[in-house]
Amino acid sequence: MTEGLGYLAGALVEFAAPEPLFNVLWATLLGIAVGMLPGLTATLGVALMTTLTFRMGAQDAILILICMYVGAIYGGGRSAILLNIPGTPASAAATLDGFPLARAGRAGRAMGIATSGSVLGTLIGMVFLALLAPVLADFALAFGAFEFFWLALFGVVIAGRLTALGDPLKGWLAGFLGLLLAMVGQEGIHAYGRFSFGHADLAGGFGLLPALVGTFGFAEILSVMKNPAYDLVRGKVDSVIPRLREVLRYRWTIVRSGVIGTFMGLIPGVGEDMGAWVSYAAARRASKERERFGTGSIEGLMSAETGNSAAVPGAIIPVLTLAVPGSAPSAVLLAAMFIHGVRPGPLIMIEFPGFVYEVVAMILLASLAILLWGLLLTRPMLAVLRVPREKLMPVIFVLCTIGSFAIASRIFDVWVMLGFGLLGFVLREMKYPMAPLVLGIVLGDILDKSLRRGLVLSDGDPTPFLIRPISAVLAAVTVMTIVLGIPAVRRGAGRLLGRLAGGGSAN
Amino acid sequence: MIKADFVTGLIFVALGLGALAESLRMPRFETLSVNPYTVPGIVPGMLGAVIAVLGLLLALRSARAGGWRLGGEVARLVALRRSGAARRFLLAFVLTVGYAAGLIGTVPFWLATGVFVFVFIAAFEWPAAEDRGRRRRVLALAAVEAALVTIAVTLVFQEVFLVRLP
Amino acid sequence: MRSVAFVAFAALAALVAAPASAGDYPWQPTKPITIIVPWAAGGSTDQVTRVLAGELELALGQKVVVINQSGASGSIGKRNVWRAPHDGYTWAAGAPKMLGTYKLVGLFDTAIEDWLLYLDAVTPTLIGVNPDTPYQTMGELLDAMRARPGQVSVATAGVGSSGHTTIEAITQAMGLTYKNVSYDGGNPAVIATVAGETEVTTQLSTEQIEMARAGRLRILAVVADRPIEMVGLGVLPPITDWTGPIPNTLTHFGMFAPADLPAEVIRTFDMIWEERISSSQALNDYAEDRGTVFMAAFGDAAQEAVAPTVRADAWTLHAAGRTVMSPEELGIPKP
């Protein structure tokens, strides 16, 4: 332990020089910009920087990549709050409460609180990384095909339930529609082009990014232009600096979301998106102001932003100790480490003992940088709200279009963006939430392969899906979420609880 | 909303059943000695069935609330067409799709973007400008913004993010 | 981190950077070059390609962007390369031998002769088992497969991957059966074995070596016809000690593009391979560290190097019943 502290102190001293600090500042800022712009994601940003930092030393390059990663996940929340368009898929949960807060004229406060959530979430994940990395990595290995199947299903069910509180049926329809849309194109085992009808582009499937940009970006543009005018409460720009009292008040939400986010980050393939959703769900269950969730709850926004940021160090844990990436951007980070001659894996503590603590120091610096930029940039960013929609929306649409195209240089992706935008607009007009749809597209591939792989492993026997310990827990939680989401059951359960408590106060 | 739910519920049932039917038609590679649990149709078929069930629930729920009475809807839709919201939506839709599906890929990126931003701003701000002076101002500002956006986006994506612009 | 590897790398980068001038080649790219890796990021193909991309950047004086497009045994990414303009700006990376068998298994209608190959490494596969399994030697594993037909689970990176053809070659030679579990790439397949989801993996040495060095995998044999020594693992016994001669499953790695590229592009890459890649210290060091052999080849030599493995794989897959036509229809003679 003391050895670790020594390494950490050494790393911090080494980084406390003008050049590394300068790198931290610009890389984090660039990350925030990449995260904010709809159409550019954390994965794209980290991949791009891997190429650009190729000839730097290992330490400088990885420092820049980690700052980029942390900054991008943080930045995605800014556009979610200000425009209702999540900059990266990880910030979809932040729109639920962030945008209502901004509409109520409290954007400054919302961004301040989101900043403190992100910083604290990153720090919590970092503490886990520093203290428990090898132990936690084995937790990631406990997730096999059976567990991934339930996790994917749980993600869609919980997102459907949380985004359509009054009417979970529509949330689930959106979620399962997302899963079904993810089936389009060549599947990963036999390369059969499902629902492609001989169309070459369809056989490639719908890209996640064009779908995200369409359902959130383009659909939002259409809704905004359709409505008579912004009914934005302007006026008092409240304090952008989060009050310590407020942070203390939500300390348990922060700690819980941080822990959940870290664990979600650990699990390969699900990453930051699920970190935000599961934290949000848990915060809502535990909250005293549950009814305000979804209408502008500080606590809700805090939990979502803490959860996705904590998932970043969480996702780095298996990268370092198993060479298994916990999320898409961390996969690129892993490749960058190999290229720079660091060999992450089970031997890292023996071969490169100082490196883990260097990464801890890098994450610490990145979180300080987002705190600094968060406080400095919040006020200028509020200016976005004062730009008339007629001037702002065409620019956002240009970004949506070029962002969709940029991923694979395919015009087809622009069509996908338009199609999903129109679908999203129509569904939104009929009160279907969009976040479960996008999460469904993210998780569809995992669900598909995990179910089939699980059946191969068990020779078609479904019992391992139900009796393996983690599977059983996930299955129970999924079923509970569905059952409690049915209004009649909820009323009945409420009555029963009320009677048990000896009064009629339970609702 | 109840009537719309009824119709969309039925659409979801049709979609789910369609997906299920298509999944059943997917190949099972019997001749390739493939493990039967890996055939492509399993998961999409399951998802299709779930969507059909959820859609049916939605349709039944709204039907119980009277959603199946669809008479008079056509007249309402016609009336809706004349509202300001529908007009603004159509304008935004035509401009955005015209840009992304029409201009992009056929004319150079900078030209398409410049024209789109200019026309979009001008078209939406024009009705609010009462006299000639204001209209001229609207057009001038739109042109300036279009130029700035085009230059900034082209430079950032082409030079910084190394994207091959269409 | 002041590791030796890092210092060596930095020194090399400086060394190699010195004579770099982009003006010597007949083709001068005017925009970034894209290399599509048809496997997940972080895998062995991805890593070696990123090292290679760095070398190419130095040679061409132009950015080389690496993109991951995984799925369907690597055929999706390669198909996208084929669909892109054949102008030298879009390449694929990975094991070119699979280009020779995609058509056979019905994944992608292409032939290896349609591609221009530039090779940089050749890698054997290893038989690795989870240390909690009872198999201490290759003989015990083969006995278990005999005792429980179709029940021993083997993780591979999908139909036609090196891991898949390896286990097929072995089981066909011995008349055994097994349970094939496919993953999105070599790395996920190895991890599944480390986690105990599958018992065995037959993926490449590059993908297994780190876990093996840490004792999270037990290596029973190297798939070759002679013992091979690997850093940290000692001398590994060859599979042929137990099976007798089996088809060649050595896997060559490199980058490739459609063969009808403009002549000046081909000449440029031939020159780069001749002058720089074949003497690249960075690639050589990387290869040694990852349990593989550095080997630069292009043109006809590259096609000839890959041909025996393609032939062996084609007939192994055919015997496994995974092909939609006979290799003879494609002009692949029986080995």
Side-chain angles (χ1 to χ4, degrees), chain B residues 3-109:
Chain B
K3 291 176 186 179
D5 279 351
F6 180 69
V7 176
T8 39
L10 293 182
I11 292 176
F12 275 119
V13 171
L15 177 78
L17 292 180
L20 182 60
E22 174 69 16
S23 305
L24 290 174
R25 282 184 34 219
M26 285 180 192
R28 281 162 223 170
F29 305 112
E30 290 95 341
T31 53
L32 293 187
S33 68
V34 154
N35 189 315
Y37 300 111
T38 66
V39 300
I42 294 183
V43 177
M46 225 176 63
L47 293 173
V50 171
I51 288 176
V53 170
L54 290 177
L56 189 66
L57 286 176
L58 182 68
L60 286 178
R61 192 183 72 183
S62 43
R64 265 172 46 192
W68 53 273
R69 291 192 201 88
L70 294 176
E73 286 306 291
V74 178
R76 264 194 53 218
L77 281 176
V78 171
L80 189 72
R81 202 172 52 101
R82 292 201 193 132
S83 68
R87 230 183 22 241
R88 278 191 305 273
F89 165 75
L90 274 180
L91 183 56
F93 183 73
V94 167
L95 289 176
T96 46
V97 173
Y99 165 68
L103 290 182
I104 290 285
T106 47
V107 299
F109 176 77

Side-chain angles (χ1 to χ4, degrees), chain A residues 203-249:
Chain A
F206 299 128
L208 168 64
L209 196 83
L212 171 83
V213 168
T215 39
F216 281 103
F218 184 37
E220 178 71 18
I221 292 169
L222 289 176
S223 313
V224 166
M225 295 317 295
K226 190 201 93 177
N227 290 332
Y230 260 150
D231 46 351
L232 186 73
V233 185
R234 268 200 211 126
K236 54 170 178 79
V237 173
D238 50 1
S239 166
V240 299
I241 298 173
R243 291 179 213 118
L244 188 63
R245 197 156 43 87
E246 215 155 51
V247 175
L248 282 177
R249 197 173 132 204

Side-chain angles (χ1 to χ4, degrees), chain C residues 127-200:
Chain C
I127 311 296
V129 298
N130 183 297
D132 294 336
T133 56
Y135 321 124
Q136 298 295 336
T137 64
M138 192 65 214
E140 288 178 32
L141 178 61
L142 294 172
D143 290 343
M145 287 182 167
R146 201 167 291 124
R148 297 186 290 133
Q151 285 302 305
V152 175
S153 54
V154 180
T156 71
V159 179
S161 66
S162 306
H164 180 236
T165 49
T166 296
I167 188 66
E168 282 294 340
I170 295 167
T171 48
Q172 283 170 26
M174 308 294 291
L176 299 171
T177 54
Y178 69 103
K179 183 192 290 181
N180 179 31
V181 189
S182 36
Y183 291 83
D184 287 347
N187 237 21
V190 170
I191 291 301
T193 309
V194 170
E197 183 166 287
T198 51
E199 294 174 274
V200 184

Side-chain angles (χ1 to χ4, degrees), chain A residues 144-145 186 339 343 358 449, chain C residues 1 50 76 107 184 197 289:
Chain A
Q186 290 190 339
I339 293 168
R343 284 201 312 267
E358 268 172 34
K449 286 188 201 137
Chain C
M1 187 205 54
R50 284 175 196 268
I76 292 176
L107 281 177
D184 287 347
E197 183 166 287
D289 188 50

